[in-house]
Amino acid sequence: MARRDLRLLPVVGGVWAVALLCVFVPASTWWVAGGCAVAAAVVTVLVLVVARGWTVRRAAEFGGLVVVLLAAMSATAVTAGLALPAREQAAQWSGRVAEVTAVVTSSASIGQDERLWFDAQTVSVGIRGDPSAMSVPVRIGVEPGAGFDLGAEVRAVGQALATDAGERSVLIVFATEAEIRRPAGGMFGIAAGARQAFIDRAGRLPDPGAGLLPGLAVGDTRAVSTALNDDMRTSGLSHLTAVSGANCAIVVGAIFWLTGLCGGGRAARVVLSLVGLAGFVVLVTPEPSVIRAAVMAAVGMLTVLLGRPSAGAGILSLAASVILLLDPWLAATPGFALSVAASGALILLAPPLARGLGRALPALVALAIAVPLAAQLACGPIIALFAEQQSLIGVAANLIAAPAAPVATVIGLLACLSAPLPALADLLAATAWLPAAWIATTATITAGLPGAQIVLSAGIGSAALVAVVSGAVAVVLIGRSAHHGGPTAARMTGLLRAGAAAVLIVVLSLGGSRMLLEGPLATATAPDGWAIAACDVGQGDAVLVRSATKVALIDAGPDPEPLAACLRSLGIERIDLLVLTHFDLDHVGGVAAVRGRVAAVLHGPVADDADQRLLDDLAEAGARVDEAAAGQQGELGSAAWRVLWPQRGSAAFPEGNDASVVMEFDGGEVPRSIFLGDLSAAPQRMLLRTHRVGRYAVVKVAHHGSADQEPSLYEAIRAQAALFSAGADNDYGHPRSETVDLLTSTGAHVLRTDERGRILLGLREGELQVWTETPPR
């Protein structure tokens, strides 16, 4: 087995560290550049002096590597320093309305706010009608429309907000006006036309593959539904719709194979593959993420061209270093880290994993498992830094979807390129639809499996935990290998394997216990007498009310999985009444967890098409949908409910937080309770005037305990228990201390999901009972 050349790994590590330092602490940039340059000069002198005592080769190898490292670090800091003045000038427009003229540098995608978002490089930024010349990266959100293709020059007017330190874009622009000043031309214009023709053609095909096909072939995910996008992420298949190294590798592999089939030699295959890769990059828009993926795929071609597969790690390190030197802000982007980690894992980790698995499995099966497993083990800790979900089904889902991905990508590309021949293009698109539908179905089924993902709080702690578990898995699966360091090295390796096995035993035991508690034994942790349950769904609302065998759910939280876990723990299979107080994401983001399990829906005023689509989706799944208004009432089991707010057709509070649905429940062993949605002080005062608000046993405090409250309302309510639904360490500071003090002053017992987890309340012989997951601090 050829020994890997790892000498350039310290270089990419040093460049990455300097890039992170410079983008997060801009004041250090020129100090770092100067310090590294001086150190490089000193080391060069020392090498020339010491070389007289050492062999020239040893001095050149060690000293030369250190000089290259320091020089690369200094150059990276210089690049960051040169970009800072323009970035600081642009950041001064934060919070102001600005006119921005810019050239689109990325593909466009639909965000959660239904805007069309794209990256751009500015030409000018400033006062409307008189902007100043300025070149910085920005991200612009506009109303959906055609023509915002890579290479197009656009003019946008809207509020600009500065990003946090480390973000590649300097400003985020929420455009109220946008126009295309110059459409994409040349190759970019031709590519945009071909992409749009293919997207239109794919849109005429049936689901589930229609929306996914453009994403697999040309990286356009605008037609992918929110539900499918969530399933792709849960199942670990979302990399197939982003133009990643996998897509580029598929294109390169197809061209490589076809050239070889036609008798081309190694050099011809590599050159044609690189040319084809360049054409693919232009077709799918050469934005930074696509170029990065293409560079990583080209690394493999270069190793073949050089006839040195063992040099893959070194060439990957060189490529990553050059990319960071040109754009240091990529060091802080999850996409770049994941791309490098996945490529490195395929080069360094997949081969030993395949050998280890090969002891128990056929060689081809072992390799098929080792490739996605290596990528997941390497990427898991990085994902844990930024996201709360960790896919546990990713390897299996990738194995099932893997045979279909290259077929859909290659045939879809051919359909895109065949646009001038409609009949052929239709045939190819229909052919590519089948593997696309296979992948979509795989994502939907695997994402719905119990334990498909786990939820961890994003951050360094979770990343460290995932890294330890990933390392333990790798050590155990690789197993025994040849030892070249004698008995001591063998003993150390044995201890390492034993420690890794112990880590996995503990993790599997804890995981198995959790699966039992969330599965067959789910209801064992919940008392029988609960009537109100505040689910711990993070920064959002999800409150259950139960009477007899009937259940109401007031809001659904920001994500499906926490709500689904809460429902499992309480043994809830069916929702008789779903109340969507309003349509902010932290109240409706988890609706997918109950889709198809809801009998009736009461909702606040509809603000836009996205709200209506959500309601239509619930109706299609069998729910009866009705808009709530003050005065409506009904029964839930043996309890009664009544809507207190909003007033129907209110001009003062037409939609959003201040038009939140306010509900009261009473009777049927349910404590008399009121749920205030996200009302602010003004509608709270109006509610107090229009209704005879009396005493309640339980109040769900408005807007997660924000400071915008009306004290007289809570004084009138004088609740025994005040529920605050908020996420731990949330960015909003909810609940605010003054609001907690307000409720305490009225005699309420404060119950917070950020401190107590899931909170259950019930009545026992007329007295209010409380159960919480964690004891009070």
Side-chain angles (χ1 to χ4, degrees):
M1 180 181 68
R3 186 175 181 180
R4 301 286 182 184
D5 188 351
L6 306 179
R7 287 174 296 177
L8 288 180
L9 287 182
V11 175
V12 71
V15 168
W16 207 319
V18 164
L20 287 173
L21 178 62
C22 291
V23 301
F24 281 107
V25 190
S28 67
T29 298
W30 291 111
W31 290 100
V32 172
C36 290
V38 170
V42 171
V43 172
T44 300
V45 173
L46 290 176
V47 167
L48 294 176
V49 173
V50 175
R52 298 174 183 175
W54 280 359
T55 64
V56 175
R57 179 181 177 184
R58 185 177 295 275
E61 283 183 356
F62 179 76
L65 183 60
V66 173
V67 171
V68 169
L69 169 61
L70 292 170
M73 292 166 66
S74 179
T76 303
V78 168
T79 301
L82 293 175
L84 283 177
R87 294 176 68 91
E88 292 170 354
Q89 183 183 0
Q92 294 176 0
W93 284 92
S94 180
R96 301 161 63 186
V97 174
E99 179 181 302
V100 176
T101 302
V103 177
V104 180
T105 59
S106 76
S107 57
S109 60
I110 300 293
Q112 291 182 338
D113 59 357
E114 298 299 313
R115 286 174 174 266
L116 192 67
W117 288 94
F118 53 85
D119 295 326
Q121 190 74 19
T122 64
V123 176
S124 62
V125 178
I127 300 172
R128 183 171 185 172
D130 187 25
S132 303
M134 194 182 305
S135 180
V136 293
V138 296
R139 187 157 180 80
I140 302 175
V142 302
E143 292 300 320
F148 295 97
D149 301 306
L150 185 137
E153 183 176 286
V154 302
R155 172 187 165 275
V157 178
Q159 186 178 33
L161 294 177
T163 58
D164 295 330
E167 295 284 346
R168 186 173 182 274
S169 296
V170 182
L171 294 172
I172 298 176
V173 181
F174 296 85
T176 54
E177 298 179 24
E179 63 175 350
I180 300 166
R181 298 187 62 174
R182 188 184 68 244
M187 291 187 301
F188 297 144
I190 295 171
R195 280 197 312 274
Q196 190 57 52
F198 175 66
I199 293 167
D200 294 341
R201 180 167 279 109
R204 295 194 291 268
L205 297 170
D207 283 328
L212 191 60
L213 183 54
L216 294 169
V218 295
D220 192 299
T221 59
R222 285 177 289 178
V224 178
S225 67
T226 302
L228 180 56
N229 186 60
D230 291 340
D231 289 342
M232 294 285 287
R233 185 165 53 247
T234 300
S235 60
L237 297 175
S238 57
H239 64 92
L240 296 177
T241 54
V243 181
S244 62
N247 301 76
C248 295
I250 289 170
V251 173
V252 167
I255 299 174
F256 201 80
W257 176 74
L258 287 173
T259 306
L261 196 64
C262 295
R266 184 176 66 186
R269 281 181 282 175
V270 172
V271 170
L272 289 177
S273 297
L274 292 177
V275 171
L277 179 60
F280 175 69
V281 167
V282 172
L283 179 63
V284 300
T285 68
E287 56 189 301
S289 61
V290 175
I291 295 173
R292 180 184 68 235
V295 168
M296 298 306 170
V299 165
M301 290 298 94
L302 287 175
T303 59
V304 174
L305 179 62
L306 296 173
R308 294 183 59 194
S310 62
I315 296 179
L316 175 63
S317 300
L318 179 62
S321 299
V322 171
I323 291 173
L324 289 174
L325 191 153
L326 296 175
D327 191 348
W329 276 266
L330 286 174
T333 59
F336 180 75
L338 291 171
S339 182
V340 175
S343 300
L346 297 182
I347 293 171
L348 298 175
L349 184 57
L353 278 177
R355 290 193 295 273
L357 292 169
R359 294 193 298 269
L361 299 170
L364 288 177
V365 176
L367 181 61
I369 296 175
V371 169
L373 179 59
Q376 183 155 332
L377 293 178
C379 294
I382 300 171
I383 294 172
L385 277 174
F386 304 98
E388 293 186 343
Q389 288 81 22
Q390 286 280 328
S391 175
L392 300 183
I393 202 71
V395 173
N398 274 276
L399 283 173
I400 297 171
V407 177
T409 299
V410 172
I411 299 179
L413 274 174
L414 292 175
C416 184
L417 297 174
S418 303
L421 303 172
L424 178 60
D426 287 340
L427 176 62
L428 291 171
T431 305
W433 172 87
L434 185 60
W438 171 266
I439 294 171
T441 304
T442 299
T444 301
I445 293 175
T446 55
L449 294 175
Q453 67 177 2
I454 58 173
V455 178
L456 297 174
S457 298
I460 295 176
S462 295
L465 174 63
V466 174
V468 169
V469 175
S470 296
V473 171
V475 169
V476 169
L477 291 181
I478 291 172
R480 291 191 177 89
S481 58
H483 303 299
H484 302 287
T488 301
R491 284 195 297 272
M492 293 298 294
T493 303
L495 290 174
L496 182 63
R497 288 202 305 272
V503 167
L504 292 185
I505 289 172
V506 171
V507 170
L508 291 173
S509 299
L510 293 175
S513 301
R514 179 173 176 175
M515 290 181 66
L516 286 174
L517 290 176
E518 291 185 354
L521 303 180
T523 58
T525 61
D528 292 333
W530 71 270
I532 298 174
C535 295
D536 182 12
V537 293
Q539 183 62 18
D541 275 5
V543 183
L544 292 156
V545 180
R546 182 181 69 168
S547 177
T549 60
K550 303 298 183 180
V551 177
L553 172 63
I554 304 172
D555 289 323
D559 296 301
E561 183 54 34
L563 176 59
C566 183
L567 295 176
R568 285 195 301 269
S569 71
L570 297 173
I572 303 300
E573 297 291 338
R574 180 76 174 168
I575 302 298
D576 298 283
L577 176 64
L578 172 62
V579 181
L580 300 177
T581 62
H582 60 299
F583 290 90
D584 283 358
L585 183 66
D586 56 336
H587 293 256
V588 301
V591 163
V594 295
R595 186 183 185 276
R597 301 160 59 187
V598 176
V601 177
L602 273 178
H603 63 86
V606 173
D608 53 35
D609 291 342
D611 300 348
Q612 190 59 51
R613 282 196 295 271
L614 175 65
L615 297 174
D616 292 343
D617 185 58
L618 287 168
E620 289 175 6
R624 186 178 69 257
V625 177
D626 189 20
E627 182 170 348
Q632 286 176 297
Q633 52 189 328
E635 294 181 352
L636 182 77
S638 53
W641 58 261
R642 184 163 63 109
V643 177
L644 305 182
W645 191 265
Q647 300 291 338
R648 189 178 298 277
S650 172
F653 308 108
E655 60 193 37
N657 286 358
D658 289 346
S660 294
V661 179
V662 175
M663 301 279 291
E664 71 169 15
F665 287 81
D666 193 14
E669 297 302 314
V670 175
R672 180 170 164 77
S673 48
I674 184 169
F675 303 87
L676 296 174
D678 273 6
L679 291 192
S680 65
Q684 287 179 27
R685 287 191 291 269
M686 185 66 70
L687 174 66
L688 193 58
R689 294 191 195 104
T690 56
H691 289 82
R692 188 175 297 171
V693 177
R695 298 282 298 271
Y696 288 89
V698 179
V699 58
K700 200 291 295 182
V701 180
H703 205 182
H704 322 290
S706 73
D708 192 11
Q709 307 286 343
E710 173 53 47
S712 59
L713 175 64
Y714 294 99
E715 290 168 1
I717 291 172
R718 300 196 69 81
Q720 294 175 254
L723 292 176
F724 290 86
S725 183
D729 301 319
N730 63 83
D731 295 335
Y732 306 95
H734 293 164
R736 297 292 293 271
S737 58
E738 56 265 42
T739 304
V740 174
D741 292 342
L742 167 63
L743 270 299
T744 302
S745 69
T746 66
H749 181 55
V750 171
L751 299 168
R752 300 168 47 171
T753 59
D754 59 328
E755 293 182 346
R756 310 291 291 273
R758 186 191 66 193
I759 299 168
L760 305 178
L761 301 99
L763 287 175
R764 180 177 298 172
E765 297 180 355
E767 292 188 357
L768 189 65
Q769 305 289 313
V770 179
W771 301 270
T772 63
E773 276 187 308
T774 60
R777 294 180 181 176

